[in-house]
Amino acid sequence: MIKDFSELVTYLSKRSRLKYKVFHVSSCSSTQDLAMSLFEEGYGEGLVVVSDEMSSGRGRLGRRWSATSGGLWFTLVLTPPKLTNIQILSLGIASSVAKALRELYEIKAVVKWPNDVLVNEKKISGVLIEGKKNVKTALFVGVGVNVNNEIPAELREKAVSVKEILNQEVSRVPLLAKILQFIEETYFKLLEDRSNEVLKEWCDLTETLGRKVRVTTINEVIEGVAVNVAPDGSLIVEDSAKIKHVIYSGDVIHLT
Ligand code: BTN
């Protein structure tokens, strides 16, 4: 069992195709920004930036992400040689987190479109992918997992941590190692044009399909049944008039 972030690269190098370089800092504004600066300085694919806390953690859709100490907050840099479908990559990243939580702690984590990980309807993890075009296209895959951090009072109805579920603190290092292992598997499946396998795995881990949902997009609010995920990763919602809506971006709430 690895205990320390410094042991992570040696541990991973025996098992992985990506060449990892791990930066562990006690605090930063956002691991996304730090990874972007290090990328500008010449670090490339396999760079992982982990921070114990972040002063300006970013969430999806321009939101703030609360990142106090005890949580697992990291960014992985990927530079895919061909542009993979980012929507499917983000579904696959959420599946990777859910699988790691299941395998390490037997927590019944499920995924919610597009890339939230929930336990008993409360959010335990979120994923943010940002891109940058330099010499190569770089993807900054940001993952936040509530591990031993205290959930702020205003979020307790909606969010949960590993510590709260297990009634004990756990080490973040084996969790990061396991998540990276699953992300890497997903990434290579996408590079090998096996996105159908990534989608199938996400469908097996979700409780969104078949349920009544409310989707808030930048333009509208749609209520209906989440009937499917299309091959490009968009969500298909059928409303009460049997009209099918294709959702590319938005927030989903389970209504039933
Ligand atoms: C979301 O659900 O809104 C996505 C949250 C993503 C949070 C992670 S924590 C590590 C990385 N650095 C950030 O500033 N954000 C992402």
PDB file of all heavy atoms in Angstrom, residues 29-32 54 56-61 63 65 67 72-75 115-116 123 125-128 142-145, ligand 1:
ATOM      1  N   SER A  29      -4.070  28.438  -6.004  1.00  0.00           N
ATOM      2  CA  SER A  29      -5.377  29.016  -6.321  1.00  0.00           C
ATOM      3  C   SER A  29      -6.281  27.906  -6.865  1.00  0.00           C
ATOM      4  O   SER A  29      -7.342  27.618  -6.337  1.00  0.00           O
ATOM      5  CB  SER A  29      -5.230  30.153  -7.329  1.00  0.00           C
ATOM      6  OG  SER A  29      -4.566  29.689  -8.481  1.00  0.00           O
ATOM      7  N   SER A  30      -5.805  27.240  -7.924  1.00  0.00           N
ATOM      8  CA  SER A  30      -6.544  26.125  -8.520  1.00  0.00           C
ATOM      9  C   SER A  30      -5.512  25.193  -9.154  1.00  0.00           C
ATOM     10  O   SER A  30      -4.570  25.678  -9.807  1.00  0.00           O
ATOM     11  CB  SER A  30      -7.515  26.657  -9.582  1.00  0.00           C
ATOM     12  OG  SER A  30      -7.838  25.632 -10.500  1.00  0.00           O
ATOM     13  N   THR A  31      -5.686  23.905  -8.982  1.00  0.00           N
ATOM     14  CA  THR A  31      -4.739  22.958  -9.606  1.00  0.00           C
ATOM     15  C   THR A  31      -4.813  23.074 -11.131  1.00  0.00           C
ATOM     16  O   THR A  31      -3.839  22.771 -11.820  1.00  0.00           O
ATOM     17  CB  THR A  31      -5.047  21.503  -9.196  1.00  0.00           C
ATOM     18  OG1 THR A  31      -6.423  21.233  -9.474  1.00  0.00           O
ATOM     19  CG2 THR A  31      -4.753  21.263  -7.731  1.00  0.00           C
ATOM     20  N   GLN A  32      -5.956  23.550 -11.655  1.00  0.00           N
ATOM     21  CA  GLN A  32      -6.077  23.751 -13.105  1.00  0.00           C
ATOM     22  C   GLN A  32      -5.062  24.813 -13.552  1.00  0.00           C
ATOM     23  O   GLN A  32      -4.348  24.627 -14.522  1.00  0.00           O
ATOM     24  CB  GLN A  32      -7.489  24.210 -13.480  1.00  0.00           C
ATOM     25  CG  GLN A  32      -8.609  23.246 -13.150  1.00  0.00           C
ATOM     26  CD  GLN A  32      -8.624  22.005 -14.029  1.00  0.00           C
ATOM     27  OE1 GLN A  32      -8.096  20.970 -13.652  1.00  0.00           O
ATOM     28  NE2 GLN A  32      -9.227  22.088 -15.188  1.00  0.00           N
ATOM     29  N   MET A  54      -7.341  24.618  -2.080  1.00  0.00           N
ATOM     30  CA  MET A  54      -7.287  25.603  -3.174  1.00  0.00           C
ATOM     31  C   MET A  54      -8.078  26.836  -2.741  1.00  0.00           C
ATOM     32  O   MET A  54      -9.155  26.709  -2.160  1.00  0.00           O
ATOM     33  CB  MET A  54      -7.931  25.027  -4.447  1.00  0.00           C
ATOM     34  CG  MET A  54      -7.251  23.797  -5.012  1.00  0.00           C
ATOM     35  SD  MET A  54      -7.948  23.310  -6.604  1.00  0.00           S
ATOM     36  CE  MET A  54      -9.593  22.783  -6.141  1.00  0.00           C
ATOM     37  N   SER A  56      -9.135  29.243  -4.945  1.00  0.00           N
ATOM     38  CA  SER A  56     -10.142  29.574  -5.970  1.00  0.00           C
ATOM     39  C   SER A  56     -10.439  28.348  -6.825  1.00  0.00           C
ATOM     40  O   SER A  56     -10.276  28.402  -8.056  1.00  0.00           O
ATOM     41  CB  SER A  56      -9.652  30.685  -6.890  1.00  0.00           C
ATOM     42  OG  SER A  56      -9.136  31.741  -6.172  1.00  0.00           O
ATOM     43  N   GLY A  57     -10.841  27.272  -6.182  1.00  0.00           N
ATOM     44  CA  GLY A  57     -11.191  26.057  -6.921  1.00  0.00           C
ATOM     45  C   GLY A  57     -12.322  26.345  -7.901  1.00  0.00           C
ATOM     46  O   GLY A  57     -13.249  27.091  -7.574  1.00  0.00           O
ATOM     47  N   ARG A  58     -12.208  25.778  -9.097  1.00  0.00           N
ATOM     48  CA  ARG A  58     -13.238  26.025 -10.129  1.00  0.00           C
ATOM     49  C   ARG A  58     -14.113  24.799 -10.296  1.00  0.00           C
ATOM     50  O   ARG A  58     -13.623  23.676 -10.331  1.00  0.00           O
ATOM     51  CB  ARG A  58     -12.586  26.295 -11.480  1.00  0.00           C
ATOM     52  CG  ARG A  58     -11.985  27.647 -11.615  1.00  0.00           C
ATOM     53  CD  ARG A  58     -11.882  28.052 -13.081  1.00  0.00           C
ATOM     54  NE  ARG A  58     -10.872  27.355 -13.841  1.00  0.00           N
ATOM     55  CZ  ARG A  58      -9.586  27.614 -13.773  1.00  0.00           C
ATOM     56  NH1 ARG A  58      -9.138  28.535 -12.937  1.00  0.00           N
ATOM     57  NH2 ARG A  58      -8.726  26.962 -14.535  1.00  0.00           N
ATOM     58  N   GLY A  59     -15.429  25.059 -10.463  1.00  0.00           N
ATOM     59  CA  GLY A  59     -16.363  23.993 -10.799  1.00  0.00           C
ATOM     60  C   GLY A  59     -16.847  24.176 -12.225  1.00  0.00           C
ATOM     61  O   GLY A  59     -16.391  25.086 -12.926  1.00  0.00           O
ATOM     62  N   ARG A  60     -17.762  23.322 -12.643  1.00  0.00           N
ATOM     63  CA  ARG A  60     -18.327  23.442 -13.985  1.00  0.00           C
ATOM     64  C   ARG A  60     -19.174  24.694 -14.074  1.00  0.00           C
ATOM     65  O   ARG A  60     -19.659  25.198 -13.072  1.00  0.00           O
ATOM     66  CB  ARG A  60     -19.227  22.228 -14.283  1.00  0.00           C
ATOM     67  CG  ARG A  60     -18.483  20.995 -14.715  1.00  0.00           C
ATOM     68  CD  ARG A  60     -19.417  19.967 -15.346  1.00  0.00           C
ATOM     69  NE  ARG A  60     -20.732  19.895 -14.746  1.00  0.00           N
ATOM     70  CZ  ARG A  60     -21.860  20.111 -15.415  1.00  0.00           C
ATOM     71  NH1 ARG A  60     -21.848  20.414 -16.685  1.00  0.00           N
ATOM     72  NH2 ARG A  60     -23.018  19.997 -14.794  1.00  0.00           N
ATOM     73  N   LEU A  61     -19.405  25.149 -15.298  1.00  0.00           N
ATOM     74  CA  LEU A  61     -20.311  26.253 -15.605  1.00  0.00           C
ATOM     75  C   LEU A  61     -19.968  27.509 -14.791  1.00  0.00           C
ATOM     76  O   LEU A  61     -20.856  28.195 -14.283  1.00  0.00           O
ATOM     77  CB  LEU A  61     -21.778  25.824 -15.376  1.00  0.00           C
ATOM     78  CG  LEU A  61     -22.205  24.509 -16.062  1.00  0.00           C
ATOM     79  CD1 LEU A  61     -23.576  24.036 -15.584  1.00  0.00           C
ATOM     80  CD2 LEU A  61     -22.224  24.673 -17.581  1.00  0.00           C
ATOM     81  N   ARG A  63     -18.737  27.878 -11.847  1.00  0.00           N
ATOM     82  CA  ARG A  63     -19.020  27.919 -10.404  1.00  0.00           C
ATOM     83  C   ARG A  63     -17.736  27.811  -9.590  1.00  0.00           C
ATOM     84  O   ARG A  63     -16.725  27.350 -10.069  1.00  0.00           O
ATOM     85  CB  ARG A  63     -19.913  26.740 -10.017  1.00  0.00           C
ATOM     86  CG  ARG A  63     -21.260  26.807 -10.675  1.00  0.00           C
ATOM     87  CD  ARG A  63     -22.174  25.804 -10.015  1.00  0.00           C
ATOM     88  NE  ARG A  63     -23.386  25.712 -10.794  1.00  0.00           N
ATOM     89  CZ  ARG A  63     -23.740  24.657 -11.500  1.00  0.00           C
ATOM     90  NH1 ARG A  63     -23.011  23.565 -11.501  1.00  0.00           N
ATOM     91  NH2 ARG A  63     -24.835  24.656 -12.204  1.00  0.00           N
ATOM     92  N   TRP A  65     -15.599  26.065  -6.513  1.00  0.00           N
ATOM     93  CA  TRP A  65     -15.549  24.709  -5.942  1.00  0.00           C
ATOM     94  C   TRP A  65     -14.869  24.818  -4.585  1.00  0.00           C
ATOM     95  O   TRP A  65     -13.722  25.243  -4.489  1.00  0.00           O
ATOM     96  CB  TRP A  65     -14.767  23.789  -6.886  1.00  0.00           C
ATOM     97  CG  TRP A  65     -14.636  22.380  -6.375  1.00  0.00           C
ATOM     98  CD1 TRP A  65     -13.558  21.862  -5.717  1.00  0.00           C
ATOM     99  CD2 TRP A  65     -15.595  21.328  -6.470  1.00  0.00           C
ATOM    100  NE1 TRP A  65     -13.786  20.549  -5.404  1.00  0.00           N
ATOM    101  CE2 TRP A  65     -15.022  20.188  -5.843  1.00  0.00           C
ATOM    102  CE3 TRP A  65     -16.876  21.226  -7.018  1.00  0.00           C
ATOM    103  CZ2 TRP A  65     -15.695  18.969  -5.762  1.00  0.00           C
ATOM    104  CZ3 TRP A  65     -17.537  20.016  -6.926  1.00  0.00           C
ATOM    105  CH2 TRP A  65     -16.952  18.899  -6.303  1.00  0.00           C
ATOM    106  N   ALA A  67     -12.740  23.823  -1.682  1.00  0.00           N
ATOM    107  CA  ALA A  67     -11.641  22.845  -1.635  1.00  0.00           C
ATOM    108  C   ALA A  67     -10.787  23.052  -0.398  1.00  0.00           C
ATOM    109  O   ALA A  67      -9.686  23.600  -0.454  1.00  0.00           O
ATOM    110  CB  ALA A  67     -10.807  22.957  -2.904  1.00  0.00           C
ATOM    111  N   LEU A  72      -9.399  15.391  -1.969  1.00  0.00           N
ATOM    112  CA  LEU A  72      -8.450  15.062  -3.044  1.00  0.00           C
ATOM    113  C   LEU A  72      -8.769  15.977  -4.217  1.00  0.00           C
ATOM    114  O   LEU A  72      -9.819  15.844  -4.856  1.00  0.00           O
ATOM    115  CB  LEU A  72      -8.616  13.585  -3.445  1.00  0.00           C
ATOM    116  CG  LEU A  72      -7.744  13.115  -4.627  1.00  0.00           C
ATOM    117  CD1 LEU A  72      -6.262  13.286  -4.343  1.00  0.00           C
ATOM    118  CD2 LEU A  72      -8.054  11.660  -4.976  1.00  0.00           C
ATOM    119  N   TRP A  73      -7.869  16.924  -4.462  1.00  0.00           N
ATOM    120  CA  TRP A  73      -8.072  17.916  -5.536  1.00  0.00           C
ATOM    121  C   TRP A  73      -6.895  17.795  -6.479  1.00  0.00           C
ATOM    122  O   TRP A  73      -5.766  18.078  -6.093  1.00  0.00           O
ATOM    123  CB  TRP A  73      -8.149  19.345  -4.967  1.00  0.00           C
ATOM    124  CG  TRP A  73      -8.810  19.492  -3.628  1.00  0.00           C
ATOM    125  CD1 TRP A  73      -8.239  19.988  -2.482  1.00  0.00           C
ATOM    126  CD2 TRP A  73     -10.171  19.174  -3.280  1.00  0.00           C
ATOM    127  NE1 TRP A  73      -9.147  19.992  -1.453  1.00  0.00           N
ATOM    128  CE2 TRP A  73     -10.340  19.486  -1.899  1.00  0.00           C
ATOM    129  CE3 TRP A  73     -11.248  18.642  -3.961  1.00  0.00           C
ATOM    130  CZ2 TRP A  73     -11.541  19.290  -1.223  1.00  0.00           C
ATOM    131  CZ3 TRP A  73     -12.448  18.439  -3.288  1.00  0.00           C
ATOM    132  CH2 TRP A  73     -12.582  18.769  -1.949  1.00  0.00           C
ATOM    133  N   PHE A  74      -7.145  17.346  -7.692  1.00  0.00           N
ATOM    134  CA  PHE A  74      -6.001  17.198  -8.603  1.00  0.00           C
ATOM    135  C   PHE A  74      -6.375  17.480 -10.054  1.00  0.00           C
ATOM    136  O   PHE A  74      -7.550  17.443 -10.434  1.00  0.00           O
ATOM    137  CB  PHE A  74      -5.375  15.789  -8.489  1.00  0.00           C
ATOM    138  CG  PHE A  74      -6.173  14.677  -9.121  1.00  0.00           C
ATOM    139  CD1 PHE A  74      -5.935  14.292 -10.446  1.00  0.00           C
ATOM    140  CD2 PHE A  74      -7.144  13.997  -8.410  1.00  0.00           C
ATOM    141  CE1 PHE A  74      -6.654  13.247 -11.033  1.00  0.00           C
ATOM    142  CE2 PHE A  74      -7.870  12.954  -8.987  1.00  0.00           C
ATOM    143  CZ  PHE A  74      -7.623  12.585 -10.299  1.00  0.00           C
ATOM    144  N   THR A  75      -5.325  17.779 -10.831  1.00  0.00           N
ATOM    145  CA  THR A  75      -5.474  17.975 -12.277  1.00  0.00           C
ATOM    146  C   THR A  75      -4.470  17.081 -12.984  1.00  0.00           C
ATOM    147  O   THR A  75      -3.301  17.037 -12.606  1.00  0.00           O
ATOM    148  CB  THR A  75      -5.197  19.443 -12.658  1.00  0.00           C
ATOM    149  OG1 THR A  75      -6.175  20.268 -12.010  1.00  0.00           O
ATOM    150  CG2 THR A  75      -5.305  19.666 -14.172  1.00  0.00           C
ATOM    151  N   ASN A 115     -21.023  14.457 -15.435  1.00  0.00           N
ATOM    152  CA  ASN A 115     -19.846  13.830 -14.821  1.00  0.00           C
ATOM    153  C   ASN A 115     -19.783  14.000 -13.314  1.00  0.00           C
ATOM    154  O   ASN A 115     -18.718  14.184 -12.747  1.00  0.00           O
ATOM    155  CB  ASN A 115     -18.545  14.317 -15.485  1.00  0.00           C
ATOM    156  CG  ASN A 115     -18.551  15.813 -15.664  1.00  0.00           C
ATOM    157  OD1 ASN A 115     -19.216  16.506 -14.912  1.00  0.00           O
ATOM    158  ND2 ASN A 115     -17.844  16.303 -16.647  1.00  0.00           N
ATOM    159  N   ASP A 116     -20.938  13.916 -12.670  1.00  0.00           N
ATOM    160  CA  ASP A 116     -20.943  13.935 -11.202  1.00  0.00           C
ATOM    161  C   ASP A 116     -20.882  12.508 -10.692  1.00  0.00           C
ATOM    162  O   ASP A 116     -21.378  11.579 -11.348  1.00  0.00           O
ATOM    163  CB  ASP A 116     -22.257  14.542 -10.680  1.00  0.00           C
ATOM    164  CG  ASP A 116     -22.291  16.046 -10.846  1.00  0.00           C
ATOM    165  OD1 ASP A 116     -21.250  16.646 -11.144  1.00  0.00           O
ATOM    166  OD2 ASP A 116     -23.391  16.611 -10.673  1.00  0.00           O
ATOM    167  N   LYS A 123     -23.511  14.521  -3.751  1.00  0.00           N
ATOM    168  CA  LYS A 123     -22.313  14.573  -4.595  1.00  0.00           C
ATOM    169  C   LYS A 123     -21.044  14.286  -3.788  1.00  0.00           C
ATOM    170  O   LYS A 123     -20.797  14.906  -2.760  1.00  0.00           O
ATOM    171  CB  LYS A 123     -22.243  15.970  -5.220  1.00  0.00           C
ATOM    172  CG  LYS A 123     -21.114  16.135  -6.209  1.00  0.00           C
ATOM    173  CD  LYS A 123     -21.468  17.242  -7.184  1.00  0.00           C
ATOM    174  CE  LYS A 123     -20.303  17.752  -7.963  1.00  0.00           C
ATOM    175  NZ  LYS A 123     -20.667  18.608  -9.074  1.00  0.00           N
ATOM    176  N   SER A 125     -18.079  13.660  -5.803  1.00  0.00           N
ATOM    177  CA  SER A 125     -16.990  14.051  -6.705  1.00  0.00           C
ATOM    178  C   SER A 125     -17.527  14.784  -7.932  1.00  0.00           C
ATOM    179  O   SER A 125     -18.650  14.523  -8.379  1.00  0.00           O
ATOM    180  CB  SER A 125     -16.240  12.784  -7.147  1.00  0.00           C
ATOM    181  OG  SER A 125     -15.318  13.085  -8.160  1.00  0.00           O
ATOM    182  N   GLY A 126     -16.688  15.674  -8.457  1.00  0.00           N
ATOM    183  CA  GLY A 126     -17.032  16.382  -9.689  1.00  0.00           C
ATOM    184  C   GLY A 126     -15.811  16.463 -10.599  1.00  0.00           C
ATOM    185  O   GLY A 126     -14.667  16.359 -10.131  1.00  0.00           O
ATOM    186  N   VAL A 127     -16.072  16.645 -11.879  1.00  0.00           N
ATOM    187  CA  VAL A 127     -15.006  16.640 -12.885  1.00  0.00           C
ATOM    188  C   VAL A 127     -15.125  17.897 -13.742  1.00  0.00           C
ATOM    189  O   VAL A 127     -16.231  18.294 -14.121  1.00  0.00           O
ATOM    190  CB  VAL A 127     -15.147  15.395 -13.808  1.00  0.00           C
ATOM    191  CG1 VAL A 127     -14.111  15.424 -14.920  1.00  0.00           C
ATOM    192  CG2 VAL A 127     -15.041  14.102 -13.000  1.00  0.00           C
ATOM    193  N   LEU A 128     -13.988  18.518 -14.018  1.00  0.00           N
ATOM    194  CA  LEU A 128     -13.961  19.695 -14.893  1.00  0.00           C
ATOM    195  C   LEU A 128     -12.842  19.494 -15.905  1.00  0.00           C
ATOM    196  O   LEU A 128     -11.694  19.310 -15.514  1.00  0.00           O
ATOM    197  CB  LEU A 128     -13.663  20.943 -14.045  1.00  0.00           C
ATOM    198  CG  LEU A 128     -13.369  22.235 -14.796  1.00  0.00           C
ATOM    199  CD1 LEU A 128     -14.642  22.782 -15.426  1.00  0.00           C
ATOM    200  CD2 LEU A 128     -12.782  23.286 -13.856  1.00  0.00           C
ATOM    201  N   GLY A 142      -9.561  18.045 -14.364  1.00  0.00           N
ATOM    202  CA  GLY A 142      -9.615  18.371 -12.932  1.00  0.00           C
ATOM    203  C   GLY A 142     -10.622  17.483 -12.232  1.00  0.00           C
ATOM    204  O   GLY A 142     -11.767  17.353 -12.670  1.00  0.00           O
ATOM    205  N   VAL A 143     -10.184  16.875 -11.131  1.00  0.00           N
ATOM    206  CA  VAL A 143     -11.074  15.983 -10.386  1.00  0.00           C
ATOM    207  C   VAL A 143     -11.045  16.395  -8.915  1.00  0.00           C
ATOM    208  O   VAL A 143      -9.976  16.588  -8.332  1.00  0.00           O
ATOM    209  CB  VAL A 143     -10.610  14.504 -10.513  1.00  0.00           C
ATOM    210  CG1 VAL A 143     -11.523  13.579  -9.701  1.00  0.00           C
ATOM    211  CG2 VAL A 143     -10.588  14.071 -11.977  1.00  0.00           C
ATOM    212  N   GLY A 144     -12.213  16.534  -8.348  1.00  0.00           N
ATOM    213  CA  GLY A 144     -12.317  16.825  -6.915  1.00  0.00           C
ATOM    214  C   GLY A 144     -13.103  15.711  -6.251  1.00  0.00           C
ATOM    215  O   GLY A 144     -14.188  15.352  -6.717  1.00  0.00           O
ATOM    216  N   VAL A 145     -12.533  15.158  -5.181  1.00  0.00           N
ATOM    217  CA  VAL A 145     -13.259  14.119  -4.434  1.00  0.00           C
ATOM    218  C   VAL A 145     -13.299  14.535  -2.968  1.00  0.00           C
ATOM    219  O   VAL A 145     -12.256  14.840  -2.371  1.00  0.00           O
ATOM    220  CB  VAL A 145     -12.574  12.726  -4.539  1.00  0.00           C
ATOM    221  CG1 VAL A 145     -13.485  11.645  -3.944  1.00  0.00           C
ATOM    222  CG2 VAL A 145     -12.203  12.370  -5.971  1.00  0.00           C
TER     223      VAL A 145
HETATM  224  C1  BTN B   1     -17.936  20.336 -10.777  1.00  0.00           C
HETATM  225  O1  BTN B   1     -18.586  19.373 -10.393  1.00  0.00           O
HETATM  226  O2  BTN B   1     -18.455  21.466 -10.882  1.00  0.00           O
HETATM  227  C2  BTN B   1     -16.489  20.138 -11.143  1.00  0.00           C
HETATM  228  C3  BTN B   1     -15.595  20.305  -9.956  1.00  0.00           C
HETATM  229  C4  BTN B   1     -14.120  20.115 -10.297  1.00  0.00           C
HETATM  230  C5  BTN B   1     -13.230  20.399  -9.111  1.00  0.00           C
HETATM  231  C6  BTN B   1     -11.802  20.035  -9.380  1.00  0.00           C
HETATM  232  S1  BTN B   1     -10.816  19.983  -7.924  1.00  0.00           S
HETATM  233  C7  BTN B   1      -9.375  19.873  -8.871  1.00  0.00           C
HETATM  234  C8  BTN B   1      -9.549  20.755 -10.085  1.00  0.00           C
HETATM  235  N1  BTN B   1      -9.094  22.107  -9.786  1.00  0.00           N
HETATM  236  C9  BTN B   1     -10.097  22.982  -9.798  1.00  0.00           C
HETATM  237  O3  BTN B   1      -9.986  24.208  -9.567  1.00  0.00           O
HETATM  238  N2  BTN B   1     -11.255  22.352 -10.082  1.00  0.00           N
HETATM  239  C10 BTN B   1     -11.053  20.952 -10.341  1.00  0.00           C
END
